[in-house]
């Protein structure tokens, strides 16, 4: 295992300020990771945090300090897509806030054997939850050329996706990260503009596919109006333009069906098109220049915030 750099939470100040936790409030941190947001919220107010992560190793690292917060902290192994099920199991019907910070943590990337990094040799795994599901090796070794090209194009925004898919088909089976990274590097030139490793976009695409990251995001967003209290806040930090687009459209709430039993908010006549959220961030909030300097992960981060409408 490689020595892991500590995970620096992205836009922590902004997340805490917009969540504005209060005494007695209940908040969900859907992506616990190293617990940066969870701890900050628990320290800011005498509140309760339900912290979810699909990676058991992330939750295990909290064992050292979780007891400091007693019953104010619940650690849940599972996905934020299943948030409703997790809350039901805890007997919680509504919460005051929900935050997710989507993607991988530094710990996950730095553990070579997890297979997230094209820099270290490791099994081609990429599952955040290692207890179930297909690995990245399963995906590259079994999908047809067109499916692979589509995954790499859509999730990696990789122009040369077809060329890469062909090279994968001609050189499989793959077992390790470097085997795959080297094949991608052999067919994609290094960009003169930004110099980023040619394998970057393909690895990102496979990670998104293996963990069904966009499906998870959609599921969580769809569940959010029902689990948030009135004026409860939804905060999403994303790192990929596709994710940000999904969040932006969802928060705008075009064509959102409102229950016939809810009274209409002032100014609305049509029962069918009332967004359940008011947007608090007109444009996505970006990290400060100082944060970007100290934390490279912050460079592509976008934070969007919405508040559950009072009907
Ligand atoms: C970027 S880190 C979160 C860091 C955290 N905000 C902090 O301050 O330490 C993302 C974490 O979310 C987890 N994760 C990603 N997608 C998830 C999902 N759909 N459900 C639950 N956990 C998920 C990953 O396993 C990882 O540990």
């Amino acid at each position: 295992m490689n020595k892991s750099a500590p995970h620096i939470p992205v836009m922590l100040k902004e997340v805490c300020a917009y969540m504005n936790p209060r005494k007695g409030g209940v908040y969900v941190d859907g992506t616990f990771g190293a617990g940066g947001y969870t701890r900050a919220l628990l320290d800011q107010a005498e509140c309760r945090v339900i912290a979810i992560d699909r990676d058991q190793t992330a939750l295990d690292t909290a064992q050292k300090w979780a007891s400091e917060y007693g019953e104010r902290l619940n650690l849940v192994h599972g996905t934020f897509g299943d948030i409703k099920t997790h809350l039901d199991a805890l007997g919680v019907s509504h919460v005051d806030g929900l935050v997710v910070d989507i993607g991988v943590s530094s710990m996950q990337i730095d553990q070579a054997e997890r297979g997230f990094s094209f820099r270290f040799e490791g099994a081609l795994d990429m599952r955040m939850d290692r207890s179930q599901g297909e690995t990245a090796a399963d995906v590259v070794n079994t999908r047809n050329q067109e499916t692979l090209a589509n995954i790499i194009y859509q999730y990696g925004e990789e122009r040369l996706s077809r060329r890469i898919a062909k090279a994968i088909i001609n050189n499989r089976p793959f077992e390790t990260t470097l085997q795959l990274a080297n094949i991608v590097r052999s067919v994609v030139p290094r960009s003169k503009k930004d110099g980023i490793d040619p394998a970057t976009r393909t690895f990102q695409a496979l990670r998104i596919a293996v963990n069904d990251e966009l499906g998870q995001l959609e599921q969580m967003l769809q569940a959010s109006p029902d689990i948030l209290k009135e004026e409860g806040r939804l905060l999403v930090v994303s790192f990929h333009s596709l994710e940000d687009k999904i969040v932006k459209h969802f928060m705008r709430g075009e064509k959102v069906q409102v229950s016939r039993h809810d009274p209409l908010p002032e100014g609305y006549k049509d029962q069918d098109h009332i967004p359940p959220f008011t947007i608090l961030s007109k444009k996505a909030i970006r990290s400060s220049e100082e944060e970007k300097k100290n934390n490279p992960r912050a460079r592509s981060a976008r934070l969007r915030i919405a508040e559950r409408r009072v009907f």
Side-chain angles (χ1 to χ4, degrees), residues 44-84:
Q44 199 171 322
E46 194 71 13
C47 62
R48 173 179 174 190
V49 175
I50 297 165
I52 304 170
D53 203 298
R54 70 198 303 185
D55 185 348
Q56 184 59 49
T57 23
L59 299 170
D60 290 344
T61 61
Q63 296 309 334
K64 287 188 209 115
W65 52 264
S67 60
E68 281 170 39
Y69 298 98
E71 293 185 347
R72 293 205 290 132
L73 172 61
N74 297 101
L75 295 171
V76 179
H77 181 224
T79 63
F80 58 65
D82 288 329
I83 188 164
K84 179 85 175 75

Side-chain angles (χ1 to χ4, degrees), residues 9 31 34-37 53-54 78-80 101 103 108 128 216 297:
T31 50
Y37 292 174
D53 203 298
R54 70 198 303 185
T79 63
F80 58 65
D101 169 17
Q108 288 167 328
M128 292 182 194
Q216 278 290 309
R297 270 189 84 241

Side-chain angles (χ1 to χ4, degrees), residues 5 27 30 50 61 65 84 87 100 156 209 212 236 238 256 258 275 279 287 298 303:
Y27 302 88
I50 297 165
T61 61
W65 52 264
K84 179 85 175 75
L87 294 183
V100 290
D212 183 26
V236 182
S238 67
V256 170
V258 169
I279 295 175
S287 296
L303 166 63

Side-chain angles (χ1 to χ4, degrees), residues 142-296:
T142 61
R143 301 300 190 269
N144 66 31
Q145 192 168 320
E146 193 187 345
T147 306
L148 285 173
N150 287 343
I151 290 174
I152 296 167
Y153 181 73
Q154 223 199 328
Y155 301 155
E157 298 175 294
E158 169 62 83
R159 242 174 0 99
L160 300 175
S161 57
R162 303 210 170 280
R163 197 192 285 184
I164 297 168
K166 190 165 172 210
I168 289 176
I169 299 287
N170 290 339
N171 289 279
R172 66 189 189 187
F174 290 89
E175 281 178 20
T176 73
T177 46
L178 292 190
Q179 245 182 312
L180 177 65
N182 288 335
I183 289 299
V184 178
R185 287 171 188 143
S186 72
V187 293
V188 179
R190 188 176 278 271
S191 150
K192 287 202 185 88
K193 208 170 81 194
D194 50 26
I196 70 162
D197 192 300
T200 309
R201 289 183 292 274
T202 299
F203 269 61
Q204 170 185 287
L206 286 170
R207 195 203 78 213
I208 290 175
V210 164
N211 296 288
D212 183 26
E213 294 182 28
L214 302 185
Q216 278 290 309
L217 176 61
E218 295 267 16
Q219 245 179 280
M220 181 278 291
L221 292 172
Q222 293 305 330
S224 64
D226 285 339
I227 60 151
L228 282 165
K229 290 182 190 166
E230 289 182 346
E231 294 185 335
R233 289 189 175 177
L234 171 64
L235 281 73
V236 182
V237 179
S238 67
F239 297 86
H240 190 293
S241 60
L242 277 178
E243 293 165 347
D244 185 54
K245 224 180 271 172
I246 292 173
V247 177
K248 182 170 78 178
H249 287 300
F250 174 79
M251 287 183 172
R252 283 187 187 159
E254 292 130 4
K255 298 203 174 180
V256 170
Q257 189 87 30
V258 169
S259 159
R260 265 183 290 141
H261 308 293
D262 284 333
L264 284 170
E266 218 175 305
Y268 282 91
K269 292 194 182 67
D270 182 351
Q271 198 82 47
D272 287 343
H273 298 290
I274 305 157
F277 288 102
T278 309
I279 295 175
L280 300 188
S281 50
K282 284 262 174 308
K283 274 167 97 180
I285 297 170
R286 308 298 300 249
S287 296
S288 66
E289 288 309 314
E290 197 192 339
E291 181 175 8
K292 285 187 209 162
K293 242 190 286 159
N294 298 326
N295 184 6

Side-chain angles (χ1 to χ4, degrees), residues 14-22 27-29 41 44 96-99 233-235 305:
E14 293 84 347
V15 165
C16 288
Y18 278 101
M19 193 62 101
N20 192 18
R22 60 168 180 83
Y27 302 88
V28 176
D29 177 354
L41 295 171
Q44 199 171 322
D96 298 272
L98 162 59
V99 59
R233 289 189 175 177
L234 171 64
L235 281 73
I305 306 144

